[in-house]
């Protein structure tokens, strides 16, 4: 028998990251994500952000991952055509999509921001992160700017 530790060179796991969450938001462990944050209650709703991470092959684009994240929650309409940016010097590549839907008679918006780490396993997989923010459309002014600020603070560490 050979003792094998994980992560390792063959299966490196997800690249570590950090982000800046507002002090009044609560961090929670989601069922399927890596970490989630809940905003303070407002209008019987809590704006929230869930961070997902997966090892994915190069062939799956960040834009495809963003669109899939929005469609996983059910039928949505894309609010804008989205943004796809290659990595700038010292930065990360990013894809952004946003959508809207009606839940229990209330319009809800979602923002999906997807990025990746520069790591590649021997089989070609890389760490891909999806940040999915949800807020009430009629609270877009305070909540959307807070969510985009948290998402913009995302950075890889090591």
């Amino acid at each position: 028998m050979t003792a094998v530790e994980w992560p390792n060179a063959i299966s490196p796991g997800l690249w570590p990251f950090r982000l800046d969450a507002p002090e009044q938001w609560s961090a929670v462990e989601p069922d399927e994500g890596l970490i989630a944050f809940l905003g303070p209650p407002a209008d019987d709703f809590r704006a929230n952000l869930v961070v997902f991470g997966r090892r994915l092959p190069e062939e799956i684009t960040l834009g495809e991952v963003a669109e899939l994240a929005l469609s996983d929650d059910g039928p949505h309409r894309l609010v804008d055509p989205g943004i796809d940016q290659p990595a700038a010097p010292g930065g990360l590549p990013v894809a952004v999509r946003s959508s809207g839907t009606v839940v229990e008679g209330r319009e809800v918006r979602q923002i999906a921001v997807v990025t990746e780490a520069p790591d590649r396993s021997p089989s070609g997989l890389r760490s891909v992160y999806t940040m999915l923010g949800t807020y009430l459309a009629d609270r877009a002014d305070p909540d959307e700017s807070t969510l985009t600020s948290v998402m913009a603070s995302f950075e890889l560490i090591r």
Side-chain angles (χ1 to χ4, degrees):
M1 295 287 240
T2 301
V4 178
E5 293 184 6
W6 185 90
N8 57 53
I10 300 301
S11 184
L14 291 170
W15 195 289
F17 65 89
R18 68 172 291 281
L19 52 77
D20 299 324
E23 288 183 24
Q24 67 274 24
W25 285 50
S26 304
V28 296
E29 183 178 20
D31 290 339
E32 296 184 22
L34 301 174
I35 191 166
F37 300 92
L38 300 173
D43 299 331
D44 296 321
F45 187 85
R46 294 180 83 173
N48 59 81
L49 174 69
V50 182
V51 180
F52 300 91
R54 294 170 58 188
R55 300 287 295 168
L56 293 173
E58 191 76 39
E59 298 79 42
I60 300 175
T61 70
L62 298 181
E64 290 169 335
V65 175
E67 290 166 18
L68 181 61
L70 294 173
S71 68
D72 277 351
D73 261 356
H76 287 79
R77 68 183 188 292
L78 286 178
V79 175
D80 60 50
I83 301 167
D84 293 309
Q85 295 178 335
L92 301 173
V94 67
V96 180
R97 302 290 188 274
S98 61
S99 69
T101 191
V102 176
V103 176
E104 298 177 3
R106 302 173 86 180
E107 187 172 355
V108 175
R109 295 277 172 94
Q110 287 191 304
I111 305 169
V113 175
V114 181
T115 191
E116 67 182 18
D119 64 328
R120 297 293 182 273
S121 67
S123 61
L125 299 180
R126 81 241 199 241
S127 297
V128 176
Y129 303 93
T130 302
M131 293 171 276
L132 185 62
T134 306
Y135 61 95
L136 292 174
D138 59 2
R139 287 193 43 85
D141 285 340
D143 292 339
E144 183 177 21
S145 63
T146 299
L147 285 167
T148 56
S149 175
V150 174
M151 292 171 169
S153 74
F154 181 93
E155 69 177 309
L156 301 170
I157 54 176
R158 249 199 227 187

